Amino acid sequence: MMSATEPSDFIQRLQKIGCPLVLILNCPVQDFDGSVVYLDNYQAGYIAARHLIELGHKDIAYLSGATNPIVSNTRHNGICSALNNYNLVSGNVVFPGNSTLECGRKAAEQYLACKDSLPSALICYNDLMAIGFIDECRKNNIHVPEVVSVIGFDDISVASLEGIALTTMRQPTVEMTKKAIDLLHQKIINPFFSCERIIMDPTLVIRKTTIAPEQTAVFEPGLQTG
């Protein structure tokens, strides 16, 4: 069973009928007595922030997601930990989001409204919001990455297109699936097979939407580029 949100009571019903079950999740679960494969979202946030910090960014914003607040908050905690470990301010700007393309565009409008306190980098909950943010920025003559560096999450297929070339955190979906199938197979052939909790690491994919802040250019808000 795979879920982008917190598991429902459907899991408990499956357990009661004795169906072999492995969960593939974005976050750990506490009250499930079975095997789980999930992504290390804390590490994902930390790695994304560390990449920006090592480029020289000190003011990093986060565009959160609403589909799973636990996952979103965990990534944000990782970002804050990276900032703290590099002795930077952890109270970074957080733009509320809902994981959609349009949300990314609205976040760009909020970003532009910050005016005198514009963060030089943004980490987005997913690639769709990152692409929407970049698209709206370009329409308002805010150049990415010259003015603001952007990191997405998921590495969806369009993220690698030349016109987007999004720096993003890739989830090891193939490896997670293989591991889950292996655990499920073990459970089928041996009902007493001990349950495991497998934490998978994300991978930073660096493309063209992140650069050092020293290369940032002054933008002129309000100018439309089409």
Side-chain angles (χ1 to χ4, degrees), residues 13 32-33 43-44 47 63 70 90 93 96 103 109 114 118 123 126 133 142 160 171 187 205 220:
R13 281 183 278 167
F32 172 65
D33 185 21
Q43 188 72 1
I47 292 172
L63 178 54
I70 293 178
S90 61
V93 176
C103 171
E109 295 174 359
C114 290
L118 290 172
I123 298 172
N126 67 9
F133 181 89
I142 305 173
S160 62
Q171 299 192 59
K187 192 67 175 177
V205 181
E220 298 177 57

Short mmCIF file of all heavy atoms in Angstrom, two decimals, residues 13 32-33 43-44 47 63 70 90 93 96 103 109 114 118 123 126 133 142 160 171 187 205 220:
data_model
loop_
_atom_site.label_atom_id
_atom_site.label_comp_id
_atom_site.label_asym_id
_atom_site.label_seq_id
_atom_site.Cartn_x
_atom_site.Cartn_y
_atom_site.Cartn_z
N ARG A 13 -7.93 -2.40 8.98
CA ARG A 13 -8.87 -3.40 8.49
C ARG A 13 -8.13 -4.51 7.73
O ARG A 13 -8.48 -5.69 7.82
CB ARG A 13 -9.92 -2.74 7.59
CG ARG A 13 -11.02 -2.03 8.38
CD ARG A 13 -12.07 -1.45 7.48
NE ARG A 13 -11.65 -0.15 6.95
CZ ARG A 13 -12.26 0.46 5.93
NH1 ARG A 13 -13.28 -0.11 5.33
NH2 ARG A 13 -11.84 1.64 5.53
N PHE A 32 1.57 1.13 13.34
CA PHE A 32 1.44 0.09 12.33
C PHE A 32 2.47 -1.00 12.63
O PHE A 32 3.67 -0.76 12.64
CB PHE A 32 1.67 0.65 10.92
CG PHE A 32 1.74 -0.42 9.87
CD1 PHE A 32 0.63 -1.20 9.58
CD2 PHE A 32 2.92 -0.66 9.16
CE1 PHE A 32 0.69 -2.20 8.62
CE2 PHE A 32 2.98 -1.64 8.20
CZ PHE A 32 1.87 -2.42 7.92
N ASP A 33 1.97 -2.20 12.89
CA ASP A 33 2.84 -3.31 13.26
C ASP A 33 3.18 -4.11 12.00
O ASP A 33 2.67 -5.21 11.77
CB ASP A 33 2.14 -4.19 14.30
CG ASP A 33 3.06 -5.30 14.80
OD1 ASP A 33 4.28 -5.16 14.67
OD2 ASP A 33 2.53 -6.31 15.31
N GLN A 43 16.29 14.53 6.22
CA GLN A 43 17.56 14.58 5.49
C GLN A 43 17.39 15.32 4.17
O GLN A 43 18.30 16.05 3.73
CB GLN A 43 18.07 13.17 5.24
CG GLN A 43 19.47 13.07 4.67
CD GLN A 43 20.55 13.44 5.68
OE1 GLN A 43 20.25 13.75 6.83
NE2 GLN A 43 21.79 13.44 5.26
N ALA A 44 16.24 15.16 3.53
CA ALA A 44 15.98 15.85 2.27
C ALA A 44 16.02 17.36 2.45
O ALA A 44 16.64 18.08 1.67
CB ALA A 44 14.62 15.43 1.72
N ILE A 47 19.72 18.43 3.22
CA ILE A 47 20.60 18.41 2.05
C ILE A 47 20.31 19.59 1.13
O ILE A 47 21.23 20.23 0.60
CB ILE A 47 20.45 17.08 1.29
CG1 ILE A 47 21.01 15.93 2.14
CG2 ILE A 47 21.16 17.13 -0.06
CD1 ILE A 47 20.73 14.55 1.57
N LEU A 63 8.71 27.03 0.72
CA LEU A 63 7.32 26.98 0.24
C LEU A 63 6.75 25.63 0.66
O LEU A 63 7.13 24.59 0.12
CB LEU A 63 7.26 27.16 -1.28
CG LEU A 63 5.89 27.09 -1.94
CD1 LEU A 63 4.91 28.05 -1.30
CD2 LEU A 63 6.01 27.38 -3.43
N ILE A 70 2.85 16.65 8.03
CA ILE A 70 3.96 16.00 8.74
C ILE A 70 5.20 15.98 7.87
O ILE A 70 6.31 16.31 8.31
CB ILE A 70 3.57 14.56 9.16
CG1 ILE A 70 2.46 14.60 10.21
CG2 ILE A 70 4.79 13.81 9.70
CD1 ILE A 70 1.98 13.23 10.64
N SER A 90 17.57 30.66 11.95
CA SER A 90 16.68 29.56 11.59
C SER A 90 15.25 30.02 11.31
O SER A 90 14.44 29.25 10.84
CB SER A 90 16.66 28.52 12.72
OG SER A 90 16.17 29.09 13.91
N VAL A 93 11.80 32.58 6.16
CA VAL A 93 10.44 32.86 5.67
C VAL A 93 9.78 31.56 5.20
O VAL A 93 10.39 30.76 4.50
CB VAL A 93 10.49 33.87 4.51
CG1 VAL A 93 9.09 34.10 3.94
CG2 VAL A 93 11.10 35.18 4.98
N PRO A 96 3.02 29.59 2.80
CA PRO A 96 2.10 28.45 2.83
C PRO A 96 1.79 27.99 1.42
O PRO A 96 1.66 28.79 0.49
CB PRO A 96 0.87 29.02 3.52
CG PRO A 96 0.93 30.49 3.26
CD PRO A 96 2.39 30.85 3.21
N CYS A 103 -0.19 27.50 -6.90
CA CYS A 103 0.33 27.91 -5.60
C CYS A 103 1.74 28.48 -5.74
O CYS A 103 2.09 29.45 -5.08
CB CYS A 103 0.34 26.72 -4.64
SG CYS A 103 1.20 27.05 -3.10
N GLU A 109 4.26 35.90 -6.15
CA GLU A 109 3.66 37.21 -5.87
C GLU A 109 3.96 37.65 -4.44
O GLU A 109 4.28 38.81 -4.19
CB GLU A 109 2.15 37.15 -6.10
CG GLU A 109 1.76 36.89 -7.56
CD GLU A 109 0.27 36.69 -7.73
OE1 GLU A 109 -0.46 36.74 -6.70
OE2 GLU A 109 -0.19 36.47 -8.87
N CYS A 114 7.71 41.04 -0.70
CA CYS A 114 8.67 41.19 0.41
C CYS A 114 9.59 42.39 0.21
O CYS A 114 10.13 42.94 1.16
CB CYS A 114 9.52 39.92 0.55
SG CYS A 114 8.63 38.49 1.16
N LEU A 118 13.95 40.36 0.53
CA LEU A 118 13.79 39.22 -0.36
C LEU A 118 14.80 38.12 -0.04
O LEU A 118 16.01 38.36 -0.06
CB LEU A 118 13.98 39.66 -1.82
CG LEU A 118 12.89 40.53 -2.43
CD1 LEU A 118 13.33 41.02 -3.80
CD2 LEU A 118 11.60 39.75 -2.55
N ILE A 123 13.30 26.90 -1.22
CA ILE A 123 13.13 25.45 -1.30
C ILE A 123 11.64 25.17 -1.35
O ILE A 123 10.89 25.63 -0.48
CB ILE A 123 13.77 24.73 -0.10
CG1 ILE A 123 15.28 24.99 -0.06
CG2 ILE A 123 13.49 23.23 -0.17
CD1 ILE A 123 15.95 24.50 1.20
N ASN A 126 7.39 20.70 -3.56
CA ASN A 126 7.45 19.80 -4.71
C ASN A 126 7.85 20.57 -5.98
O ASN A 126 7.95 21.80 -5.97
CB ASN A 126 6.13 19.04 -4.91
CG ASN A 126 4.97 19.94 -5.32
OD1 ASN A 126 5.14 21.13 -5.62
ND2 ASN A 126 3.76 19.39 -5.31
N PHE A 133 6.44 28.85 -9.44
CA PHE A 133 7.16 30.00 -8.88
C PHE A 133 8.10 30.60 -9.92
O PHE A 133 8.12 31.82 -10.13
CB PHE A 133 7.95 29.55 -7.65
CG PHE A 133 8.73 30.65 -6.98
CD1 PHE A 133 8.15 31.42 -5.99
CD2 PHE A 133 10.05 30.90 -7.33
CE1 PHE A 133 8.86 32.44 -5.37
CE2 PHE A 133 10.77 31.91 -6.72
CZ PHE A 133 10.18 32.68 -5.74
N ILE A 142 11.92 38.74 -12.65
CA ILE A 142 12.75 38.23 -11.57
C ILE A 142 13.47 37.00 -12.11
O ILE A 142 12.86 35.97 -12.34
CB ILE A 142 11.90 37.84 -10.33
CG1 ILE A 142 11.04 39.01 -9.89
CG2 ILE A 142 12.79 37.37 -9.19
CD1 ILE A 142 10.06 38.67 -8.78
N SER A 160 13.67 18.11 -15.85
CA SER A 160 14.95 18.03 -16.57
C SER A 160 14.92 18.71 -17.94
O SER A 160 15.95 18.78 -18.61
CB SER A 160 15.36 16.57 -16.74
OG SER A 160 14.41 15.87 -17.53
N GLN A 171 13.42 11.50 -5.23
CA GLN A 171 13.05 10.38 -4.38
C GLN A 171 13.44 9.07 -5.07
O GLN A 171 13.22 8.92 -6.27
CB GLN A 171 11.54 10.38 -4.12
CG GLN A 171 11.02 11.61 -3.42
CD GLN A 171 9.60 11.43 -2.95
OE1 GLN A 171 9.30 10.53 -2.18
NE2 GLN A 171 8.70 12.27 -3.41
N LYS A 187 7.24 -11.77 3.48
CA LYS A 187 6.09 -11.92 4.38
C LYS A 187 5.12 -12.97 3.85
O LYS A 187 4.50 -13.71 4.63
CB LYS A 187 5.38 -10.57 4.53
CG LYS A 187 4.35 -10.52 5.63
CD LYS A 187 5.00 -10.63 7.01
CE LYS A 187 3.98 -10.46 8.12
NZ LYS A 187 4.60 -10.63 9.46
N VAL A 205 19.74 16.57 -7.10
CA VAL A 205 20.04 16.66 -8.53
C VAL A 205 20.27 18.13 -8.86
O VAL A 205 19.32 18.93 -8.84
CB VAL A 205 18.89 16.08 -9.38
CG1 VAL A 205 19.24 16.17 -10.86
CG2 VAL A 205 18.60 14.64 -8.98
N GLU A 220 14.06 44.57 -11.62
CA GLU A 220 13.16 45.68 -11.63
C GLU A 220 11.74 45.14 -11.56
O GLU A 220 11.17 44.71 -12.56
CB GLU A 220 13.34 46.52 -12.90
CG GLU A 220 14.73 47.11 -13.02
CD GLU A 220 14.90 47.87 -14.33
OE1 GLU A 220 14.11 48.79 -14.56
OE2 GLU A 220 15.78 47.51 -15.11
#
